Amino acid sequence: MEQFLGFAIPGIPYGCTYALFAVGLILTYQATGVFNFAFAAQAYTSAFIFSILTLNEHWPVWLAFFVSVVLLAPAIGLAFDYFLFRRIPNTNSMAKVVTGISLLVGIPSLLTVIFTNQPFYNVPSILFNPNDVYFHLFGLQDVPINGIFLSTVIVTAVVLVAMVVLMRYTSLGLKMRGAVESRRLVQLDGINADRVVASAWAISSLLAGLAGVLLAPQFAQLQPENYITLMVTAIAAAAWGVLRSMPTAALVAIGLGIVELTAEGYLPTGGILYDSVLPVLPMIVLVAALLFVPGMRSLDDTKDPLASVDPPTPPTAAASRAPTMDKIIRVAFYVLLVAFAVSMLTWMPRTWEGVFNQGIAFSVIFLSITLITGMGGQLSLAQATLAGIGAFTAGQLASHFGLSLLVGGIVGAALAAGVAVILALVSLRLKGLGLALMTLAAALVFDQAVFSRTAVNGGQSGLTLKSKWAGLGIFNPNGHALFVVGVAVLVVVTLAILQIRKGTIGHYLGAMRGSETAAAGIGINLTWQRVMIFALSGAVAGIGGTIYSLFQTNVNANSFNAELSLVFVVVVVTTGVSTVEGAIQAGIGLTVIEQLVTYLPGRFGGNSLVFVLFAFGALTYASHPEGVLEFQKRTWTTRFDRLFFTKGSPPGLAAARDGGPSPGTALPATGVGPHE
């Protein structure tokens, strides 16, 4: 019994750390309608500033706490509300998720750019000393109660009681719940809904800052990954509370902490249960909640009676430009493409050959996001994982059977498509936020239980590819053969997607994005269409993963982890998720910018600066869901049309070029129509 308690009792403070995050996530969702993916980034920000003030500037702990938590944390939340989430309609769940993910990716990178990547160790505690043992529970020597235990348990209990009282028994809590249902309807009742929601953001952000600073002493080194890991487990607990019940979420979180540490104590190290099952326990709990808790299936069902007043999405630049200008742009594109190909095969420096070859590989992967999100209207956070399935399959077939990587890539694409189909079938009743959480859980499961296995990844250095497995001189240092293969694959995939978009499947998917109820009413099989688009996106991602591994001459787990799936979504959304050219621009643009920042001084953060640029570009998704580049193209198209092509244009065409419909002009309610 003493041994059991020695394993189980220390799990309580671990569970309390999960509970703090879960309560904060539920508060934000219940009070604002936003599932705050940036909660972990907010917690890390307060902990980071607290560490700078105490360890570098030697401020008193109480003053550093006041600045980093009481002042900074609510200010961040108010900025989120005023500049971002206030401008997103309650019904636009995808914009909320994308914005939160962009902040999660961008904020830690921004801190690195501003303050450089400095490590912090032994962050001081705001309450009890984490190294002191204050007493032994029941007098048992194996159950010491230290400062971490007391701090987390006491703060979690106080926060939980305070938040339950706020949401259930105060007028502010009632107003918050009303505002999340319909901010505009609450305003008709004379309530300042913006002020109410801003108060909710300030309180929830204060919780994030408190959690970040409170938990910082538990980590050997302060890193954003620590808080992201905590948030994933907290999401599982919050899901069992249907993002509504804080006590339920807290109990599940504490139970998870106890089960994890108890199992860790009893399971033999090196076994499959210890190495593969235990790390994915929170993801299993999350998947179970998504599948078996009924409320999780209706997270995005709007109760806002004024939801239908939101304006339609504007047309793409390609759909609105004048025919003469369209011909000029197409000719210029083909001239530029030929010039680029000739340059790559003749005078291009080897460094930049590698940059563009990598960009081509990314472009193929990003086209899978165009399929699943741009055409299918589904947000998947597992596209890097699907690319990894294709790459590892091709690599393992080459390693064990001597099969060509190009042939193995086809098998890998088929396997990735199969995994995507399973994921689609499992999540048939989910949409929006629920689907995003399901795909994120799947990506994390592959990270921890599949890609981490030596039999799959080939060891710490990854699976090194041999030139004889590819042939065609692909691994030649000049990169010409790899360029030809990459471009050939990119062209085939692009043409296939364009044909799908113009065909029956594309039109069915467009109807589904407009209204699934109406689409089902005219006889469209929603299940089949959803499974089909998942399969196609999985196959394209698998092909892209193989091409990317050819560029690296190596397949390793770090190239296809769940965090990269988040980054990929942010990058493609920034350029334009609804068009194939947006995906290609995202792939090339990412690698070109990565290369350009290498010429800057190291203090600018390297790749962190790249993530900041794309992350904050993606923050415009709510205003411009077509993407920043697509928005700029439409803007400049309108200007050139007015200068050179507007004389004699019909009124309907002029209105379309201005970004708005003319009377009688039909535009899709959501998403983007079948344009290139």
Side-chain angles (χ1 to χ4, degrees):
M1 185 65 179
E2 182 174 349
Q3 184 185 38
F4 172 76
L5 292 176
F7 292 143
I9 297 301
I12 295 177
Y14 276 91
C16 286
T17 62
Y18 304 148
L20 274 176
F21 270 59
V23 168
L25 290 171
I26 291 176
L27 173 64
T28 310
Y29 187 78
Q30 282 295 299
T32 68
V34 175
F35 187 85
N36 188 14
F37 276 96
F39 193 88
Q42 290 178 268
Y44 173 72
T45 299
S46 288
F48 187 89
I49 299 301
F50 177 80
S51 301
I52 287 179
L53 296 178
T54 54
L55 298 179
N56 291 4
E57 304 300 327
H58 307 292
W59 284 24
V61 170
W62 70 268
L63 183 57
F65 175 83
F66 180 79
V67 171
S68 61
V69 176
V70 180
L71 295 182
L72 178 63
I76 293 174
L78 291 174
F80 284 0
D81 173 56
Y82 183 80
F83 293 105
L84 298 173
F85 292 103
R86 180 179 298 185
R87 307 172 191 277
I88 302 176
N90 277 352
T91 54
N92 196 341
S93 60
M94 185 175 294
K96 295 176 186 177
V97 173
V98 168
T99 302
I101 292 173
S102 302
L103 293 168
L104 176 64
V105 171
I107 289 178
S109 299
L110 180 62
L111 292 174
T112 300
V113 171
I114 296 174
F115 298 100
T116 71
N117 191 17
Q118 50 183 311
F120 292 108
Y121 306 95
N122 300 319
V123 180
S125 173
I126 58 174
L127 289 178
F128 303 99
N129 190 328
N131 298 319
D132 289 347
V133 175
Y134 290 87
F135 61 91
H136 291 81
L137 190 65
F138 307 128
L140 300 175
Q141 293 300 312
D142 288 344
V143 193
I145 304 300
N146 59 17
I148 291 178
F149 188 106
L150 292 176
S151 299
T152 53
V153 171
I154 291 173
V155 171
T156 300
V158 172
V159 167
L160 179 61
V161 171
M163 292 303 103
V164 169
V165 170
L166 171 68
M167 295 301 293
R168 293 186 180 180
Y169 304 108
T170 67
S171 60
L172 178 59
L174 178 62
K175 293 175 183 177
M176 288 178 181
R177 297 198 304 273
V180 74
E181 298 291 345
S182 175
R183 186 178 299 193
R184 288 168 289 200
L185 199 60
V186 166
Q187 288 174 329
L188 294 178
D189 198 37
I191 298 173
N192 190 330
D194 289 341
R195 184 177 299 172
V196 170
V197 175
S199 300
W201 271 106
I203 295 171
S204 65
S205 298
L206 179 68
L207 283 185
L210 174 62
V213 172
L214 179 68
L215 304 179
Q218 298 187 24
F219 307 125
Q221 179 182 349
L222 188 68
Q223 295 177 327
E225 292 78 12
N226 297 330
Y227 292 95
I228 294 174
T229 301
L230 283 174
M231 189 178 71
V232 170
T233 307
I235 291 173
W240 278 95
V242 202
L243 298 181
R244 184 180 299 117
S245 173
M246 295 180 186
T248 300
L251 288 175
V252 173
I254 294 171
L256 266 172
I258 293 174
V259 170
E260 282 185 337
L261 262 68
T262 303
E264 186 176 332
Y266 280 109
L267 290 176
T269 58
I272 189 171
L273 291 178
Y274 188 93
D275 292 340
S276 297
V277 177
L278 185 58
V280 301
L281 179 62
M283 281 67 84
I284 295 174
V285 173
L286 173 58
V287 170
L290 292 170
L291 293 179
F292 302 116
V293 177
M296 295 302 294
R297 303 170 188 166
S298 57
L299 287 178
D300 294 316
D301 291 347
T302 180
K303 302 181 180 69
D304 186 356
L306 300 180
S308 60
V309 304
D310 295 325
T313 301
T316 61
S320 58
R321 61 197 179 205
T324 304
M325 186 176 183
D326 186 64
K327 292 179 181 178
I328 295 174
I329 290 176
R330 289 180 182 274
V331 171
F333 167 76
Y334 289 121
V335 170
L336 181 63
L337 181 62
V338 171
F340 172 67
V342 171
S343 299
M344 284 290 289
L345 297 175
T346 55
W347 61 267
M348 186 72 67
R350 291 185 179 180
T351 298
W352 283 96
E353 280 183 354
V355 168
F356 288 116
N357 281 336
Q358 183 182 17
I360 290 169
F362 275 139
S363 297
V364 178
I365 298 175
F366 292 169
L367 282 171
S368 72
I369 301 177
T370 300
L371 277 168
I372 190 69
T373 302
M375 291 176 57
Q378 311 292 330
L379 183 60
S380 170
L381 303 181
Q383 295 308 107
T385 300
L386 296 173
I389 292 172
F392 277 116
T393 301
Q396 288 293 340
L397 289 175
S399 175
H400 293 287
F401 301 101
L403 192 64
S404 168
L405 284 166
L406 299 179
V407 177
I410 299 175
V411 179
L415 183 58
V419 172
V421 166
I422 295 173
L423 191 56
L425 293 174
V426 169
S427 56
L428 276 178
R429 298 185 180 183
L430 301 173
K431 57 184 178 180
L433 175 59
L435 179 61
L437 294 177
M438 176 65 80
T439 53
L440 176 61
L444 291 168
V445 167
F446 271 88
D447 276 4
Q448 300 292 334
V450 181
F451 293 166
S452 62
R453 305 292 294 178
T454 303
V456 174
N457 62 32
Q460 291 184 347
S461 60
L463 185 64
T464 301
L465 305 181
K466 300 178 181 179
S467 59
K468 65 178 182 179
W469 294 343
L472 304 177
I474 286 178
F475 293 158
N476 191 298
N478 64 29
H480 292 172
L482 180 59
F483 169 72
V484 173
V485 171
V487 167
V489 172
L490 179 61
V491 169
V492 170
V493 171
T494 298
L495 293 177
I497 292 175
L498 292 177
Q499 285 301 117
I500 292 171
R501 170 167 283 169
K502 293 176 181 178
T504 304
I505 294 177
H507 287 89
Y508 282 175
L509 292 173
M512 289 172 58
R513 290 196 308 275
S515 171
E516 290 191 357
T517 302
I522 61 175
I524 297 176
N525 189 324
L526 303 183
T527 299
W528 171 250
Q529 296 302 320
R530 188 169 184 176
V531 171
M532 175 65 69
I533 200 64
F534 263 86
L536 291 172
S537 70
V540 171
I543 293 171
T546 302
I547 298 300
Y548 183 65
S549 67
L550 289 174
F551 163 77
Q552 288 191 308
T553 68
N554 178 275
V555 189
N556 64 81
N558 291 331
S559 299
F560 304 104
N561 58 38
E563 291 181 22
L564 279 178
S565 290
L566 302 181
V567 172
F568 287 174
V569 168
V570 168
V571 171
V572 179
V573 164
T574 301
T575 56
V577 73
S578 59
T579 61
V580 293
E581 62 190 70
I584 297 172
Q585 290 162 351
I588 302 295
L590 175 61
T591 55
V592 168
I593 294 176
E594 283 181 340
Q595 180 62 27
L596 291 176
V597 299
T598 62
Y599 303 130
L600 298 176
R603 70 169 306 275
F604 288 101
N607 280 347
S608 295
L609 179 60
V610 179
F611 294 157
V612 168
L613 294 175
F614 278 103
F616 287 94
L619 292 178
T620 63
Y621 179 80
S623 302
H624 308 296
E626 69 274 32
V628 175
L629 290 184
E630 184 63 34
F631 167 71
Q632 292 298 330
K633 283 190 293 184
R634 192 177 74 246
T635 300
W636 284 99
T637 294
T638 302
R639 292 176 181 176
F640 277 102
D641 276 1
R642 287 173 176 172
L643 285 174
F644 303 108
F645 304 106
T646 53
K647 294 181 180 180
S649 296
L653 181 60
R657 287 197 293 267
D658 289 336
S662 62
T665 302
L667 290 175
T670 57
V672 179
H675 306 304
E676 295 181 7

PDB file of all heavy atoms in Angstrom, residues 581-609:
ATOM      1  N   GLU A 581      -2.243  27.514 -56.483  1.00  0.00           N
ATOM      2  CA  GLU A 581      -1.109  28.434 -56.535  1.00  0.00           C
ATOM      3  C   GLU A 581      -0.746  28.927 -55.140  1.00  0.00           C
ATOM      4  O   GLU A 581       0.417  29.204 -54.844  1.00  0.00           O
ATOM      5  CB  GLU A 581      -1.414  29.610 -57.460  1.00  0.00           C
ATOM      6  CG  GLU A 581      -2.585  30.464 -57.025  1.00  0.00           C
ATOM      7  CD  GLU A 581      -2.998  31.453 -58.094  1.00  0.00           C
ATOM      8  OE1 GLU A 581      -3.536  31.022 -59.131  1.00  0.00           O
ATOM      9  OE2 GLU A 581      -2.786  32.658 -57.887  1.00  0.00           O
ATOM     10  N   GLY A 582      -1.734  29.011 -54.249  1.00  0.00           N
ATOM     11  CA  GLY A 582      -1.444  29.390 -52.873  1.00  0.00           C
ATOM     12  C   GLY A 582      -0.564  28.376 -52.180  1.00  0.00           C
ATOM     13  O   GLY A 582       0.357  28.731 -51.440  1.00  0.00           O
ATOM     14  N   ALA A 583      -0.824  27.074 -52.409  1.00  0.00           N
ATOM     15  CA  ALA A 583       0.008  26.026 -51.811  1.00  0.00           C
ATOM     16  C   ALA A 583       1.424  26.057 -52.366  1.00  0.00           C
ATOM     17  O   ALA A 583       2.402  25.887 -51.620  1.00  0.00           O
ATOM     18  CB  ALA A 583      -0.627  24.658 -52.054  1.00  0.00           C
ATOM     19  N   ILE A 584       1.555  26.255 -53.676  1.00  0.00           N
ATOM     20  CA  ILE A 584       2.887  26.306 -54.290  1.00  0.00           C
ATOM     21  C   ILE A 584       3.650  27.532 -53.808  1.00  0.00           C
ATOM     22  O   ILE A 584       4.844  27.460 -53.493  1.00  0.00           O
ATOM     23  CB  ILE A 584       2.761  26.291 -55.824  1.00  0.00           C
ATOM     24  CG1 ILE A 584       2.123  24.975 -56.284  1.00  0.00           C
ATOM     25  CG2 ILE A 584       4.122  26.487 -56.481  1.00  0.00           C
ATOM     26  CD1 ILE A 584       1.768  24.926 -57.754  1.00  0.00           C
ATOM     27  N   GLN A 585       2.968  28.650 -53.728  1.00  0.00           N
ATOM     28  CA  GLN A 585       3.610  29.850 -53.200  1.00  0.00           C
ATOM     29  C   GLN A 585       4.028  29.659 -51.750  1.00  0.00           C
ATOM     30  O   GLN A 585       5.069  30.169 -51.324  1.00  0.00           O
ATOM     31  CB  GLN A 585       2.654  31.041 -53.327  1.00  0.00           C
ATOM     32  CG  GLN A 585       2.428  31.490 -54.766  1.00  0.00           C
ATOM     33  CD  GLN A 585       1.193  32.358 -54.924  1.00  0.00           C
ATOM     34  OE1 GLN A 585       0.394  32.499 -53.998  1.00  0.00           O
ATOM     35  NE2 GLN A 585       1.035  32.940 -56.103  1.00  0.00           N
ATOM     36  N   ALA A 586       3.232  28.924 -50.987  1.00  0.00           N
ATOM     37  CA  ALA A 586       3.578  28.662 -49.590  1.00  0.00           C
ATOM     38  C   ALA A 586       4.843  27.823 -49.492  1.00  0.00           C
ATOM     39  O   ALA A 586       5.738  28.108 -48.679  1.00  0.00           O
ATOM     40  CB  ALA A 586       2.422  27.954 -48.889  1.00  0.00           C
ATOM     41  N   GLY A 587       4.937  26.773 -50.307  1.00  0.00           N
ATOM     42  CA  GLY A 587       6.110  25.908 -50.263  1.00  0.00           C
ATOM     43  C   GLY A 587       7.376  26.628 -50.666  1.00  0.00           C
ATOM     44  O   GLY A 587       8.396  26.568 -49.962  1.00  0.00           O
ATOM     45  N   ILE A 588       7.330  27.309 -51.797  1.00  0.00           N
ATOM     46  CA  ILE A 588       8.510  28.040 -52.268  1.00  0.00           C
ATOM     47  C   ILE A 588       8.830  29.202 -51.331  1.00  0.00           C
ATOM     48  O   ILE A 588       9.987  29.446 -50.972  1.00  0.00           O
ATOM     49  CB  ILE A 588       8.296  28.564 -53.701  1.00  0.00           C
ATOM     50  CG1 ILE A 588       7.994  27.396 -54.664  1.00  0.00           C
ATOM     51  CG2 ILE A 588       9.502  29.348 -54.171  1.00  0.00           C
ATOM     52  CD1 ILE A 588       9.128  26.423 -54.838  1.00  0.00           C
ATOM     53  N   GLY A 589       7.792  29.922 -50.910  1.00  0.00           N
ATOM     54  CA  GLY A 589       8.000  31.079 -50.053  1.00  0.00           C
ATOM     55  C   GLY A 589       8.620  30.710 -48.719  1.00  0.00           C
ATOM     56  O   GLY A 589       9.499  31.421 -48.207  1.00  0.00           O
ATOM     57  N   LEU A 590       8.182  29.586 -48.135  1.00  0.00           N
ATOM     58  CA  LEU A 590       8.729  29.163 -46.848  1.00  0.00           C
ATOM     59  C   LEU A 590      10.224  28.926 -46.940  1.00  0.00           C
ATOM     60  O   LEU A 590      11.003  29.417 -46.109  1.00  0.00           O
ATOM     61  CB  LEU A 590       8.012  27.894 -46.381  1.00  0.00           C
ATOM     62  CG  LEU A 590       8.552  27.244 -45.101  1.00  0.00           C
ATOM     63  CD1 LEU A 590       8.445  28.197 -43.920  1.00  0.00           C
ATOM     64  CD2 LEU A 590       7.812  25.932 -44.814  1.00  0.00           C
ATOM     65  N   THR A 591      10.661  28.169 -47.948  1.00  0.00           N
ATOM     66  CA  THR A 591      12.083  27.846 -48.049  1.00  0.00           C
ATOM     67  C   THR A 591      12.921  29.051 -48.462  1.00  0.00           C
ATOM     68  O   THR A 591      14.055  29.203 -47.997  1.00  0.00           O
ATOM     69  CB  THR A 591      12.295  26.695 -49.050  1.00  0.00           C
ATOM     70  OG1 THR A 591      11.708  27.045 -50.320  1.00  0.00           O
ATOM     71  CG2 THR A 591      11.636  25.423 -48.550  1.00  0.00           C
ATOM     72  N   VAL A 592      12.370  29.909 -49.313  1.00  0.00           N
ATOM     73  CA  VAL A 592      13.123  31.101 -49.720  1.00  0.00           C
ATOM     74  C   VAL A 592      13.330  32.030 -48.521  1.00  0.00           C
ATOM     75  O   VAL A 592      14.441  32.540 -48.288  1.00  0.00           O
ATOM     76  CB  VAL A 592      12.393  31.839 -50.857  1.00  0.00           C
ATOM     77  CG1 VAL A 592      12.992  33.226 -51.077  1.00  0.00           C
ATOM     78  CG2 VAL A 592      12.475  31.025 -52.145  1.00  0.00           C
ATOM     79  N   ILE A 593      12.283  32.243 -47.741  1.00  0.00           N
ATOM     80  CA  ILE A 593      12.414  33.119 -46.574  1.00  0.00           C
ATOM     81  C   ILE A 593      13.364  32.505 -45.548  1.00  0.00           C
ATOM     82  O   ILE A 593      14.162  33.208 -44.917  1.00  0.00           O
ATOM     83  CB  ILE A 593      11.032  33.400 -45.958  1.00  0.00           C
ATOM     84  CG1 ILE A 593      10.183  34.204 -46.944  1.00  0.00           C
ATOM     85  CG2 ILE A 593      11.169  34.163 -44.650  1.00  0.00           C
ATOM     86  CD1 ILE A 593       8.768  34.443 -46.482  1.00  0.00           C
ATOM     87  N   GLU A 594      13.285  31.174 -45.372  1.00  0.00           N
ATOM     88  CA  GLU A 594      14.226  30.506 -44.467  1.00  0.00           C
ATOM     89  C   GLU A 594      15.669  30.750 -44.892  1.00  0.00           C
ATOM     90  O   GLU A 594      16.554  30.956 -44.051  1.00  0.00           O
ATOM     91  CB  GLU A 594      13.945  29.000 -44.426  1.00  0.00           C
ATOM     92  CG  GLU A 594      12.752  28.616 -43.584  1.00  0.00           C
ATOM     93  CD  GLU A 594      12.540  27.109 -43.566  1.00  0.00           C
ATOM     94  OE1 GLU A 594      13.066  26.429 -44.478  1.00  0.00           O
ATOM     95  OE2 GLU A 594      11.874  26.603 -42.647  1.00  0.00           O
ATOM     96  N   GLN A 595      15.919  30.710 -46.195  1.00  0.00           N
ATOM     97  CA  GLN A 595      17.277  30.955 -46.683  1.00  0.00           C
ATOM     98  C   GLN A 595      17.671  32.418 -46.511  1.00  0.00           C
ATOM     99  O   GLN A 595      18.802  32.727 -46.118  1.00  0.00           O
ATOM    100  CB  GLN A 595      17.374  30.567 -48.162  1.00  0.00           C
ATOM    101  CG  GLN A 595      18.749  30.775 -48.779  1.00  0.00           C
ATOM    102  CD  GLN A 595      19.834  29.937 -48.134  1.00  0.00           C
ATOM    103  OE1 GLN A 595      19.552  28.867 -47.592  1.00  0.00           O
ATOM    104  NE2 GLN A 595      21.062  30.420 -48.177  1.00  0.00           N
ATOM    105  N   LEU A 596      16.748  33.328 -46.761  1.00  0.00           N
ATOM    106  CA  LEU A 596      17.065  34.751 -46.656  1.00  0.00           C
ATOM    107  C   LEU A 596      17.419  35.150 -45.224  1.00  0.00           C
ATOM    108  O   LEU A 596      18.318  35.975 -45.008  1.00  0.00           O
ATOM    109  CB  LEU A 596      15.891  35.593 -47.166  1.00  0.00           C
ATOM    110  CG  LEU A 596      15.624  35.536 -48.674  1.00  0.00           C
ATOM    111  CD1 LEU A 596      14.380  36.343 -49.028  1.00  0.00           C
ATOM    112  CD2 LEU A 596      16.825  36.045 -49.461  1.00  0.00           C
ATOM    113  N   VAL A 597      16.729  34.557 -44.234  1.00  0.00           N
ATOM    114  CA  VAL A 597      17.014  34.951 -42.848  1.00  0.00           C
ATOM    115  C   VAL A 597      18.378  34.440 -42.385  1.00  0.00           C
ATOM    116  O   VAL A 597      18.906  34.934 -41.387  1.00  0.00           O
ATOM    117  CB  VAL A 597      15.914  34.456 -41.884  1.00  0.00           C
ATOM    118  CG1 VAL A 597      14.565  35.057 -42.235  1.00  0.00           C
ATOM    119  CG2 VAL A 597      15.847  32.933 -41.850  1.00  0.00           C
ATOM    120  N   THR A 598      18.958  33.472 -43.109  1.00  0.00           N
ATOM    121  CA  THR A 598      20.298  33.022 -42.736  1.00  0.00           C
ATOM    122  C   THR A 598      21.338  34.113 -42.982  1.00  0.00           C
ATOM    123  O   THR A 598      22.442  34.047 -42.426  1.00  0.00           O
ATOM    124  CB  THR A 598      20.702  31.758 -43.516  1.00  0.00           C
ATOM    125  OG1 THR A 598      20.737  32.057 -44.928  1.00  0.00           O
ATOM    126  CG2 THR A 598      19.723  30.626 -43.260  1.00  0.00           C
ATOM    127  N   TYR A 599      21.006  35.093 -43.814  1.00  0.00           N
ATOM    128  CA  TYR A 599      21.927  36.191 -44.065  1.00  0.00           C
ATOM    129  C   TYR A 599      21.826  37.287 -43.004  1.00  0.00           C
ATOM    130  O   TYR A 599      22.618  38.225 -43.016  1.00  0.00           O
ATOM    131  CB  TYR A 599      21.665  36.796 -45.449  1.00  0.00           C
ATOM    132  CG  TYR A 599      21.764  35.806 -46.583  1.00  0.00           C
ATOM    133  CD1 TYR A 599      20.770  35.683 -47.540  1.00  0.00           C
ATOM    134  CD2 TYR A 599      22.873  34.962 -46.689  1.00  0.00           C
ATOM    135  CE1 TYR A 599      20.858  34.766 -48.583  1.00  0.00           C
ATOM    136  CE2 TYR A 599      22.975  34.046 -47.730  1.00  0.00           C
ATOM    137  CZ  TYR A 599      21.967  33.945 -48.667  1.00  0.00           C
ATOM    138  OH  TYR A 599      22.069  33.032 -49.690  1.00  0.00           O
ATOM    139  N   LEU A 600      20.823  37.182 -42.124  1.00  0.00           N
ATOM    140  CA  LEU A 600      20.661  38.165 -41.059  1.00  0.00           C
ATOM    141  C   LEU A 600      21.492  37.768 -39.845  1.00  0.00           C
ATOM    142  O   LEU A 600      21.856  36.599 -39.680  1.00  0.00           O
ATOM    143  CB  LEU A 600      19.180  38.263 -40.663  1.00  0.00           C
ATOM    144  CG  LEU A 600      18.202  38.734 -41.744  1.00  0.00           C
ATOM    145  CD1 LEU A 600      16.781  38.672 -41.216  1.00  0.00           C
ATOM    146  CD2 LEU A 600      18.532  40.141 -42.200  1.00  0.00           C
ATOM    147  N   PRO A 601      21.803  38.717 -38.966  1.00  0.00           N
ATOM    148  CA  PRO A 601      22.502  38.366 -37.723  1.00  0.00           C
ATOM    149  C   PRO A 601      21.725  37.344 -36.912  1.00  0.00           C
ATOM    150  O   PRO A 601      20.479  37.314 -36.940  1.00  0.00           O
ATOM    151  CB  PRO A 601      22.590  39.714 -36.983  1.00  0.00           C
ATOM    152  CG  PRO A 601      22.508  40.747 -38.057  1.00  0.00           C
ATOM    153  CD  PRO A 601      21.599  40.170 -39.105  1.00  0.00           C
ATOM    154  N   GLY A 602      22.435  36.488 -36.189  1.00  0.00           N
ATOM    155  CA  GLY A 602      21.804  35.408 -35.441  1.00  0.00           C
ATOM    156  C   GLY A 602      20.804  35.876 -34.408  1.00  0.00           C
ATOM    157  O   GLY A 602      19.886  35.133 -34.047  1.00  0.00           O
ATOM    158  N   ARG A 603      20.912  37.105 -33.926  1.00  0.00           N
ATOM    159  CA  ARG A 603      20.019  37.588 -32.879  1.00  0.00           C
ATOM    160  C   ARG A 603      18.577  37.719 -33.360  1.00  0.00           C
ATOM    161  O   ARG A 603      17.656  37.863 -32.556  1.00  0.00           O
ATOM    162  CB  ARG A 603      20.484  38.939 -32.347  1.00  0.00           C
ATOM    163  CG  ARG A 603      20.334  40.104 -33.322  1.00  0.00           C
ATOM    164  CD  ARG A 603      20.558  41.447 -32.611  1.00  0.00           C
ATOM    165  NE  ARG A 603      19.703  41.572 -31.458  1.00  0.00           N
ATOM    166  CZ  ARG A 603      18.442  42.018 -31.523  1.00  0.00           C
ATOM    167  NH1 ARG A 603      17.920  42.343 -32.695  1.00  0.00           N
ATOM    168  NH2 ARG A 603      17.716  42.125 -30.436  1.00  0.00           N
ATOM    169  N   PHE A 604      18.372  37.703 -34.691  1.00  0.00           N
ATOM    170  CA  PHE A 604      17.016  37.813 -35.204  1.00  0.00           C
ATOM    171  C   PHE A 604      16.248  36.497 -35.138  1.00  0.00           C
ATOM    172  O   PHE A 604      15.090  36.432 -35.529  1.00  0.00           O
ATOM    173  CB  PHE A 604      17.031  38.341 -36.641  1.00  0.00           C
ATOM    174  CG  PHE A 604      17.396  39.791 -36.739  1.00  0.00           C
ATOM    175  CD1 PHE A 604      18.670  40.170 -37.106  1.00  0.00           C
ATOM    176  CD2 PHE A 604      16.470  40.771 -36.435  1.00  0.00           C
ATOM    177  CE1 PHE A 604      19.019  41.505 -37.192  1.00  0.00           C
ATOM    178  CE2 PHE A 604      16.801  42.114 -36.518  1.00  0.00           C
ATOM    179  CZ  PHE A 604      18.093  42.480 -36.886  1.00  0.00           C
ATOM    180  N   GLY A 605      16.906  35.441 -34.675  1.00  0.00           N
ATOM    181  CA  GLY A 605      16.175  34.233 -34.353  1.00  0.00           C
ATOM    182  C   GLY A 605      16.088  33.184 -35.423  1.00  0.00           C
ATOM    183  O   GLY A 605      15.482  32.135 -35.211  1.00  0.00           O
ATOM    184  N   GLY A 606      16.663  33.394 -36.603  1.00  0.00           N
ATOM    185  CA  GLY A 606      16.662  32.353 -37.635  1.00  0.00           C
ATOM    186  C   GLY A 606      15.255  31.949 -38.024  1.00  0.00           C
ATOM    187  O   GLY A 606      14.409  32.781 -38.380  1.00  0.00           O
ATOM    188  N   ASN A 607      14.980  30.643 -37.944  1.00  0.00           N
ATOM    189  CA  ASN A 607      13.672  30.138 -38.335  1.00  0.00           C
ATOM    190  C   ASN A 607      12.546  30.682 -37.468  1.00  0.00           C
ATOM    191  O   ASN A 607      11.378  30.678 -37.872  1.00  0.00           O
ATOM    192  CB  ASN A 607      13.669  28.608 -38.281  1.00  0.00           C
ATOM    193  CG  ASN A 607      14.315  27.994 -39.509  1.00  0.00           C
ATOM    194  OD1 ASN A 607      14.542  28.678 -40.504  1.00  0.00           O
ATOM    195  ND2 ASN A 607      14.619  26.717 -39.443  1.00  0.00           N
ATOM    196  N   SER A 608      12.871  31.115 -36.246  1.00  0.00           N
ATOM    197  CA  SER A 608      11.841  31.709 -35.401  1.00  0.00           C
ATOM    198  C   SER A 608      11.233  32.928 -36.075  1.00  0.00           C
ATOM    199  O   SER A 608      10.016  33.164 -36.011  1.00  0.00           O
ATOM    200  CB  SER A 608      12.434  32.102 -34.044  1.00  0.00           C
ATOM    201  OG  SER A 608      12.860  30.962 -33.326  1.00  0.00           O
ATOM    202  N   LEU A 609      12.065  33.731 -36.748  1.00  0.00           N
ATOM    203  CA  LEU A 609      11.561  34.895 -37.465  1.00  0.00           C
ATOM    204  C   LEU A 609      10.649  34.466 -38.610  1.00  0.00           C
ATOM    205  O   LEU A 609       9.632  35.113 -38.874  1.00  0.00           O
ATOM    206  CB  LEU A 609      12.735  35.723 -37.998  1.00  0.00           C
ATOM    207  CG  LEU A 609      12.368  36.977 -38.802  1.00  0.00           C
ATOM    208  CD1 LEU A 609      11.545  37.935 -37.955  1.00  0.00           C
ATOM    209  CD2 LEU A 609      13.629  37.666 -39.320  1.00  0.00           C
TER     210      LEU A 609
END
